[in-house]
Structure formats: C-alpha cells, structure tokens
Amino acid sequence: MSMNINDNIPTVAVICGPTATGKTRLSVELARSFDGEIVSADSMQVYRRMDIGTAKATPDERCGVPHHMIDVAEPSEQYSVARYVEEASACTDDILARGKLPLIVGGTNLYIDSLLSGRDFASAAGEDPELRAELERRYDELGGEEMLRQLRVFDPERAEKLPPTDRRRIIRAFEVYRLTGKSLSEHDRETRLAPPRYRAAVIALDYLDREHLYARINDRVDEMVRLGLFEEVRALQSEGLNPDCTAMQAIGYKEPLSALRGEITRDEAIELIKRESRRYAKRQLTWLRRKEGLLWIRHGQTPDFLEARRLSTEYLRSFGL
C-alpha cells in the first residue's frame, strides 16, 4: 500500500489496522469532514446476517455516512478477492464520479492491496463450472499431495506457496491454467506491471503497547457475546449452512459453532475467539509494517480520537483532499 504519486490516478483515503483500533469511528468522522463515503474492505462484512461477529457498524455509528460493500453476499456464497475488486472498484469509481472522497476502510489487507493495485482479477480468467467440478473430483480422488506434484510441473512458484490441504486454491491454480494457458504466477507477474488503480493516502491504526491492543480485543469479544454472538451463530446454523463454508469458518463463527455442537464449552469457545483474534491482529500488523508511505497513528491505552482526527486531517490535506 505504498503511495504512488501520479496526477492521472484518482486519490482515495485508506483507514486500516487490526480490530478494536477505532477504524469505524475515525473513518466516519473523516467522511463527514471530507464529504466522503465509506467502502468496506472486510472479507466477512460482505455477508448478510453476520453482524455481531464481524463488528459491522450500526446505523447510529454510521451517522448517516453511506457505507458500501457490506451485506452484498449470502453466507452460503464463496466470496472471492476477484469479486471484491470488481464490485468495490465500481463503488469507488461511482463515489469519485459524484465528486466525493472514497474512504477504503477495513482490516482485510489483501482486499485493500488488491483494490488499490491495477490487478484485474475478473478478466485474468473466467470460471468454468464443469471444469471446476472435474478438478474437484480429481483432487478428491488423487489427494492434495499428488495435485501439488502435478501443479509443480507448470506453476512451481504457486505450488511452493500452497499446503496440500488448500483444496480451493490448488483447484483454482489448475483452473486458471486450463482456461488461459498461463499459470497464476504468470498472471501475477503481468498484473504487477500495471499502474495502480488508485493513489492512496493510507492511515494505519495501532497501539503503542501490544498488551493494550490485546486487552481491547478481549473486551470486544466479550461485548460481542453480550450482544448475542452465539444466538447469531445459532440462527445461521438453523439455515442449514454447510459448516465448512467460508463464512462459517471465520474467527468468531467457527468457535461458537463448535460449542453449539457440543464439541467444546461456551467458555472455551470465547477464549478461542480471543486467542485467534489476537493472533490475527498480529498477522495484520506484520503485513502492514512491510508497507511504505503509511501514516501510523498509535494510541495509548485507549484511542485518542481528537488527536487521530487532527493527524489524519493534516495527512489527507497533504494529498490535496
């Protein structure tokens, strides 16, 4: 998410960082100050009826600011980064066309990077349901190790990155090669050469002390439970969703689901959510620290929104916004 200054590329604002760092409140305040609209970059907030465990902003928290890319898919759907880029870029371009500022907000760094870059996932390769079904049967018959061995023949770079258990990505690598004659690694190299889709003023939120972040995450999970997280998961379960679908494998959903099945206790599920959320936050920060050109705002024990808004406002104005 490094800045790429090019006057011919439209500018957007990005507010990112792990959960419980105040992205929602800061983004709403900046949207109101800069006549902006928010485009969510959260891989789980795309799903309908998954509100508590994904920490979606309530109508009161949104303060009348339009929010996009929330509640755009059913929990049963396999939502991909390619679909996100296609739909989120359409939202962002529409906001820009109306003379407003798009604020890309969320914690799914892959979604943010992919949206900002010039990658066009949708056109890189289509989808063929019959071919996909054939490849799925092959994977189930041959197993992941053998499929990876075959993948190494035409895409050793991709095969090196995938574990044999990653059924979906292994199958997709075969599908892209069969449909286009090029490996996914070749597609990646080609799209890296494309100019970025947007110039980005990126604000990253964190805490000075890791323990403060972890305490806020733990408090956030307790609040989700109080608001009815287990009831939300029970309602999704009653819909007959496949427990292995992407939505139900998310942190905050798979743990309560295990508790509802009697595999673990409710208290064990809560502790697992906290632990996995802390681990995810650590991975998010590791990813962000590799980036250049970000404005880092690190809170003390609790977020100082007045200071965060001041620093963010100065930063965005330096981009001419």
Side-chain angles (χ1 to χ4, degrees):
M1 286 185 285
S2 59
M3 293 188 303
N4 189 324
I5 299 176
N6 187 323
D7 290 339
N8 296 319
I9 298 174
T11 301
V12 301
V14 176
I15 296 94
C16 56
T19 187
T21 51
K23 296 186 297 294
T24 296
R25 181 172 169 184
L26 179 61
S27 63
V28 166
E29 292 188 8
L30 291 176
R32 296 175 74 184
S33 297
F34 285 85
D35 191 21
E37 298 184 11
I38 291 170
V39 179
S40 171
D42 186 298
S43 62
M44 298 310 299
Q45 291 189 1
V46 298
Y47 293 114
R48 303 182 186 100
R49 301 183 301 288
M50 298 180 69
D51 303 332
I52 298 171
T54 64
K56 287 177 190 169
T58 65
D60 285 345
E61 289 171 333
R62 297 180 194 185
C63 299
V65 173
H67 282 59
H68 306 273
M69 296 309 298
I70 294 174
D71 296 333
V72 296
E74 286 297 313
S76 57
E77 294 182 64
Q78 181 78 46
Y79 200 89
S80 67
V81 65
R83 179 174 166 187
Y84 174 79
V85 170
E86 181 179 11
E87 296 179 357
S89 60
C91 287
T92 303
D93 291 344
D94 176 66
I95 295 167
L96 288 164
R98 290 185 280 108
K100 296 179 179 293
L101 174 65
L103 291 97
I104 316 301
V105 182
T108 305
N109 295 320
L110 177 61
Y111 275 24
I112 296 172
D113 277 359
S114 300
L115 178 60
L116 298 180
S117 76
R119 299 182 191 179
D120 188 353
F121 291 88
S123 64
E127 295 186 357
D128 184 328
E130 291 185 9
L131 174 60
R132 175 74 60 85
E134 174 199 327
L135 292 169
E136 288 174 345
R137 285 193 297 271
R138 279 183 60 192
Y139 181 97
D140 293 340
E141 291 171 4
L142 300 176
E145 293 284 1
E146 174 60 19
M147 290 291 280
L148 272 185
R149 188 191 68 77
Q150 294 182 17
L151 180 59
R152 289 188 190 98
V153 173
F154 59 87
D155 194 351
E157 191 177 336
R158 181 68 51 167
E160 188 65 28
K161 297 176 181 177
L162 297 176
T165 53
D166 198 339
R167 182 176 184 267
R168 181 172 64 86
R169 288 187 173 88
I170 290 173
I171 289 170
R172 181 58 178 164
F174 275 86
E175 184 181 25
V176 168
Y177 184 71
R178 292 274 294 273
L179 290 172
T180 68
K182 293 181 181 180
S183 69
L184 267 174
S185 296
E186 288 179 275
H187 282 293
D188 285 349
R189 283 191 289 273
E190 289 174 1
T191 54
R192 283 191 203 106
L193 299 175
R197 186 176 283 108
Y198 305 112
R199 177 189 181 213
V202 184
I203 300 163
L205 303 181
D206 191 12
Y207 286 83
L208 291 169
D209 188 329
R210 181 65 58 85
E211 292 308 311
H212 290 156
L213 171 61
Y214 289 168
R216 296 278 292 184
I217 289 172
N218 292 342
D219 290 345
R220 169 72 66 86
V221 173
D222 288 336
E223 178 66 5
M224 287 177 174
V225 172
R226 188 189 68 78
L227 290 173
L229 176 61
F230 282 78
E231 290 72 22
E232 181 171 87
V233 175
R234 184 179 290 109
L236 292 167
Q237 182 187 38
S238 69
E239 294 180 14
L241 283 176
N242 183 338
D244 294 324
C245 72
T246 301
M248 295 303 280
Q249 286 301 303
I251 298 170
Y253 288 88
K254 62 183 176 181
E255 300 87 358
L257 187 60
S258 292
L260 292 171
R261 290 163 156 182
E263 298 165 355
I264 58 177
T265 68
R266 180 185 175 99
D267 286 344
E268 286 171 337
I270 293 169
E271 288 307 309
L272 278 174
I273 298 170
K274 291 177 179 178
R275 186 190 73 185
E276 293 307 309
S277 297
R278 294 192 300 265
R279 288 178 175 176
Y280 181 54
K282 186 176 180 180
R283 293 195 298 273
Q284 289 172 300
L285 289 168
T286 298
W287 179 305
L288 288 172
R289 289 188 184 115
R290 298 192 190 112
K291 307 299 179 181
E292 298 177 355
L294 285 66
L295 170 67
W296 280 96
I297 298 177
R298 293 181 170 92
H299 304 304
Q301 186 168 356
T302 57
D304 182 344
F305 286 105
L306 286 177
E307 180 66 3
R309 184 173 62 183
R310 183 188 69 78
L311 292 170
S312 300
T313 298
E314 291 178 358
Y315 180 66
L316 296 183
R317 284 178 178 160
S318 73
F319 279 74
L321 298 173

